[in-house]
């Protein structure tokens, strides 16, 4: 599925622990005798994984992240105010949620010790990315083809989604339009929604579902919408309105009544949730919340434990980054279990459940690299990872490739040799040293699944766009999967002028990588 994020996963240290810390607002005198490290381990691990000081340089900690962390503890900073510029409506949302307490919830002396611990332990600069196989220029099995939908304005692609039944490619645009492309990749029709489309589900006679985000850029205002019956010329049916910046949509029968329910990731910003929607008699839709945690970014409905009902597995970003399994009792009632948890600095943004070794147990393909936050820099822990399932739904990292700003990876046997290769995009590549790593084709050359080996490839014009969204689909019915890249060139982070000039000079909304593999 296509998700739209564009820096949604800001560095949310202490995002949800304000309420818990308020319970300890009296603080024993003994706290003042503890070291900064002990205090940091105690308070900075309350509701998310402990953020190691080594994961950011000292200047970023001092000027950006620590002041914002202080705001969540009710400690104000003269130069940094995360509430500045927000509308009254959004301020009211944040106030009701208790994101920023009015009074300090820890003593100033304790906060100063925590700050000093981070500043003393943080490096002056982060280590460079680890040495690894360089990307070869030239794709062994793909032939790139640029598609231009318009050329008089900036590319703002928010979704690429293939409808296999109708052999049509749907392309969402930041200006609220959805372009429908035929088999020749020509525009067959265009329709508009209330806001940019970020995901769609094609369900034959049941009608096409569409998810519109409301507001693209970070906000806690709720203007998103879940709708159906789009694109067929009839009236659009709004199933749910006032969604909090939704970014991902799935469909499955969660309560066993024989009717598919919709599952929505309300990414939000400071507030959000993961919900599913049951459509009852006379079209009445009821929302049921699985989690009130913000940052839900990718959801997979699947029978995860093999008990013949559909569970929900979801990746969360924001403060508490990780992957949670919502175990279904078969009647639409769920119990949450943590599968993996990551640092709040990682910038999680995508996952797929894939059986890499054909043992009948789902493994996890995961990327992290959201870099449009308060700590913009090259980070050696950005990249793509494979976590292997031991058969008991316990996961261990088996593969990592560092890719600055990695944003999505999809697995498929692109070359027809029987193993799974990877297609990867980065929205925040190293534009100076490795500008062509905005796209990588990772060819699987593993001898065994105990030690993955992938040879990376890219292509000459891989920097022709800034790839925010990607789809993998067989576009021409030859049973070989193509890769579709969607460009979104707006940026709030530094872009070298030669790259910007190339985007203007060689404009395209999409690049289609046609699969020419001879092994099929």
């Amino acid at each position: 599925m296509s998700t739209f994020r564009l820096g949604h996963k800001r560095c949310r240290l202490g995002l949800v622990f304000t309420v818990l810390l308020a319970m300890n607002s009296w603080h024993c005198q003994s706290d003042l005798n503890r070291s900064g490290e002990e205090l940091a381990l105690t308070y900075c691990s309350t509701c998310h994984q402990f953020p190691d000081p080594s994961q950011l340089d000292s200047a970023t900690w001092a000027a950006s992240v620590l002041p914002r962390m202080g705001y969540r503890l009710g400690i104000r900073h003269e130069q940094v105010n995360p509430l500045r510029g927000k509308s009254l409506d959004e301020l009211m949302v944040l106030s009701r949620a208790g994101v920023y307490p009015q009074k300090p919830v820890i003593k100033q002396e304790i906060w100063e010790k925590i700050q000093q611990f981070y500043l003393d332990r943080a490096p002056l600069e982060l280590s460079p990315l680890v040495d690894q196989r360089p990307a070869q220029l030239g794709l062994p099995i793909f032939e790139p083809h640029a598609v231009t939908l318009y050329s008089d304005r900036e590319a703002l692609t928010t979704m690429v989604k293939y409808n296999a039944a109708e052999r049509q490619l749907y392309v969402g645009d930041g200006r609220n339009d959805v372009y429908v492309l035929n088999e020749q990749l020509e525009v067959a029709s265009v329709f508009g929604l209330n806001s940019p489309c970020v995901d769609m589900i094609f369900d034959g006679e049941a009608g096409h579902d569409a998810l519109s985000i409301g507001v693209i850029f970070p906000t806690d205002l709720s203007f998103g919408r879940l709708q159906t019956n789009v694109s067929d010329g009839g009236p659009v049916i709004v199933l749910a309105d006032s969604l909090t910046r939704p970014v991902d949509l799935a469909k499955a029968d969660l309560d066993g009544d024989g009717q598919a329910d919709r599952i929505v990731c309300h990414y939000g910003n400071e507030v959000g949730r993961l919900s599913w929607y049951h459509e009852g008699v006379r079209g009445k839709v009821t929302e049921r919340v699985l989690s009130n945690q913000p940052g839900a970014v990718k959801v997979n409905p699947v029978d995860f434990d093999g008990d013949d009902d559909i569970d929900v597995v979801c990746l969360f970003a924001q403060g508490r980054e990780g992957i949670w399994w919502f175990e279904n009792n078969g009647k639409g009632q769920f119990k949450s279990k943590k599968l993996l948890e990551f640092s709040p600095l990682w910038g999680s943004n995508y996952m797929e459940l894939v059986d890499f070794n054909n043992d009948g147990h789902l493994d996890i393909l995961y990327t992290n690299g959201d870099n449009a936050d308060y700590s913009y820099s090259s980070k050696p822990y950005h990249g793509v990872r494979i976590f292997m399932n031991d058969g008991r739904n316990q996961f261990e990292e088996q593969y990592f490739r560092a890719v600055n700003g990695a944003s999505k990876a999809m697995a498929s046997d692109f070359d027809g040799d029987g193993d799974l290769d990877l297609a990867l995009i980065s929205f925040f590549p190293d534009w100076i040293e490795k500008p062509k790593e905005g796209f990588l084709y990772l060819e699987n050359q593993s001898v065994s699944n105990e030690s993955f080996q992938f040879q990376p490839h890219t292509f000459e014009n891989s920097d022709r766009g800034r790839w925010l969204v990607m789809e993998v689909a067989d576009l021409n019915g030859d049973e070989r999967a193509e890769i579709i890249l969607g460009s979104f060139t707006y940026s709030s982070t530094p872009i070298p002028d030669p790259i910007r000039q190339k985007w203007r000079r060689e404009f395209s909304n999409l690049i289609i990588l046609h699969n020419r593999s001879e092994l099929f």
Side-chain angles (χ1 to χ4, degrees), residues 139-157:
L139 298 175
I141 61 171
F142 294 102
E143 180 182 320
H145 172 70
V147 175
T148 301
L149 304 179
Y150 51 76
S151 59
D152 56 342
R153 50 199 189 274
E154 196 166 25
L156 298 179
T157 310

Side-chain angles (χ1 to χ4, degrees), residues 275-299:
S275 296
W276 63 286
Y277 294 83
H278 176 75
E279 187 174 358
V281 296
R282 299 179 182 176
K284 182 180 179 181
V285 176
T286 303
E287 178 182 4
R288 299 173 182 176
V289 177
L290 285 168
S291 172
N292 278 309
Q293 181 179 331
V297 65
K298 185 69 181 75
V299 65

Side-chain angles (χ1 to χ4, degrees), residues 8-21 43-44 46-49 68-69 71-73 94 97-101 220 267-272 292-296 316-321 344 374:
H8 291 175
K9 287 156 290 306
R10 296 191 173 209
C11 183
R12 298 298 182 212
L13 295 177
L15 175 66
V16 290
F17 65 10
T18 298
V19 175
L20 293 178
L21 286 180
Y43 293 111
C44 300
T46 304
C47 286
H48 56 61
Q49 191 179 89
R68 285 173 168 82
M69 182 176 175
Y71 250 84
R72 299 181 184 279
L73 305 174
L94 296 175
V99 175
Y100 299 105
D220 287 296
Y267 192 98
N269 189 38
E270 311 286 9
V271 299
N292 278 309
Q293 181 179 331
F316 288 85
Q318 297 297 72
R320 192 171 188 188
E321 300 196 14
Y374 305 126

